[in-house]
Amino acid sequence: MQKFIALYLTVTGIGAAIALLLPSLVLFGLYLLVIPGLVLGSAPTAFLWGCIFTAFWLAAKSQFGPTGTTALIAIALTVLTVYAVTEPFRVAGGSLYRESLLPDVTPSSRIAVTGDIRIDLPAPRWDNANPRERGKQRGFSCDNLCLALLFTPGVKSVTINRSIRTIDAPRSKRVGEFDPEARTYWLVPKAQCEDRGLRPDLEGRIGLFPSSLDEGRVLNERWKSDLYDEFCLRRSAPLGRHDLLIRHHRDGAATRRNGKWSLTPRVLETEGIEIQGSAGEVLLRRLKVSVAIPSRLLAISFEGGSSDFQSGWSRSVLTNKPGSEALDLLQELEQHTNTQGR
């Protein structure tokens, strides 16, 4: 048994050293050879468990000798150890996850989009369609969503802003500060225009809720025609009030990969879509919460792409909405508001 343990630790130790020092070889093996990549990738965990087993084997051997009972005791204590080490951190991650959940809110009827609308987005598009005013920033553009809202009957203005980045965003009823690039847009009848006005940014997407690319292109052209023939587009500094807030936020993703050798839960990631009234009442909510916690058994895994493939403690993800495309702002607007997207 002792010779087998020594051989096992030697083989897995060499494999673990290669995998941890040259993780690109693991990636290469997974891409081209599959099985060698899996074997090399599992070597660090196999070596770790082997070291824990050896420590318990030697301790039990001094009491029971090199018997089958000694081996069974060492195996049982090894399983218990790799489970017990991660369990407190899994419990902490589960508590963090449950405390961050909020129920979805679905309106009983379509939300009437009227008055002054504010849209907070994680990454609004820059205004590259119009010349920058001397000494001023570009500002966020009026894209397809902005224009669709402006053409919705009853809408007076649309303010485009960047959503706040805070882990408390889902629970916060406060409205974040305006980004320096935030802008308010509105339509002016052609008779009141002294020039052709601003050009909308229709390059980011085709239409808004098109059932086909052709329908989307037709909608884009119709919007352009309406602007040039009937209206002109104006903008100003952000309006300090709103009748309706449409907010899409993502938080935590920037620090997602930190602490690869820490057993503590990774930074909580949230993504949410909310529509709030002027008093902060929630009319619609969709919230995705995710947190990576250690796997049930202490293990070493590899993750990342070709440029950042690396090792760390193996983790599993707690989430209330599996899938990377769980939330879709345009889909929610199409289903639950009267936004003129077609």
Side-chain angles (χ1 to χ4, degrees), residues 11-262:
V11 173
T12 58
I14 293 173
I18 294 173
L20 295 176
L21 294 175
L22 299 171
S24 57
L25 290 182
V26 180
L27 184 63
F28 179 79
L30 290 172
Y31 278 161
L32 299 182
L33 304 173
V34 183
I35 293 178
L38 292 174
V39 171
L40 192 59
S42 63
T45 298
F47 179 70
L48 173 66
W49 290 0
C51 290
I52 298 172
F53 171 85
T54 301
F56 286 126
W57 161 266
L58 294 174
K61 179 186 172 185
S62 64
Q63 297 293 323
F64 304 101
T67 64
T69 301
T70 299
L72 290 176
I73 291 173
I75 291 173
L77 291 175
T78 298
V79 173
L80 180 63
T81 298
V82 297
Y83 171 84
V85 167
T86 62
E87 191 60 18
F89 301 101
R90 289 177 58 85
V91 171
S95 296
L96 177 64
Y97 167 74
R98 289 187 293 273
E99 290 169 2
S100 303
L101 289 175
L102 288 174
D104 283 353
V105 175
T106 301
S108 57
S109 59
R110 287 187 178 271
I111 299 170
V113 180
T114 59
D116 298 301
I117 311 301
R118 173 171 168 174
I119 308 175
D120 284 13
L121 301 172
R125 287 174 58 84
W126 301 108
D127 184 6
N128 294 319
N130 298 285
R132 188 186 310 189
E133 298 177 36
R134 185 183 296 273
K136 293 188 176 182
Q137 297 160 308
R138 285 178 294 179
F140 297 135
S141 67
C142 185
D143 63 0
N144 305 62
L145 175 55
C146 168
L147 208 57
L149 288 167
L150 287 175
F151 279 123
T152 300
V155 171
K156 299 177 182 178
S157 70
V158 174
T159 299
I160 308 295
N161 186 43
R162 191 191 305 276
S163 55
I164 57 175
R165 291 192 59 82
T166 169
I167 209 65
D168 294 325
R171 296 182 180 276
S172 175
K173 291 193 175 182
R174 72 179 181 88
V175 178
E177 299 294 330
F178 283 116
D179 190 280
E181 307 280 3
R183 297 291 184 273
T184 293
Y185 290 87
W186 68 94
L187 295 177
V188 177
K190 197 71 174 179
Q192 301 176 21
C193 300
E194 298 178 357
D195 53 32
R196 298 186 65 180
L198 299 169
R199 287 179 293 174
D201 173 16
L202 300 180
E203 303 301 323
R205 60 173 67 94
I206 301 299
L208 194 65
F209 313 135
S211 56
S212 66
L213 288 178
D214 288 340
E215 179 186 314
R217 293 190 182 98
V218 169
L219 182 59
N220 275 14
E221 292 304 316
R222 193 186 79 200
W223 282 341
K224 289 179 182 179
S225 175
D226 288 347
L227 272 179
Y228 294 141
D229 295 342
E230 301 181 37
F231 302 97
C232 57
L233 184 65
R234 291 284 187 253
R235 72 179 174 190
S236 68
L239 191 66
R241 60 169 301 278
H242 61 268
D243 296 300
L244 204 68
L245 168 65
I246 301 171
R247 179 167 66 176
H248 183 197
H249 62 85
R250 296 191 187 98
D251 303 289
T255 54
R256 174 181 172 272
R257 298 183 60 79
N258 288 355
K260 59 181 181 176
W261 290 111
S262 171

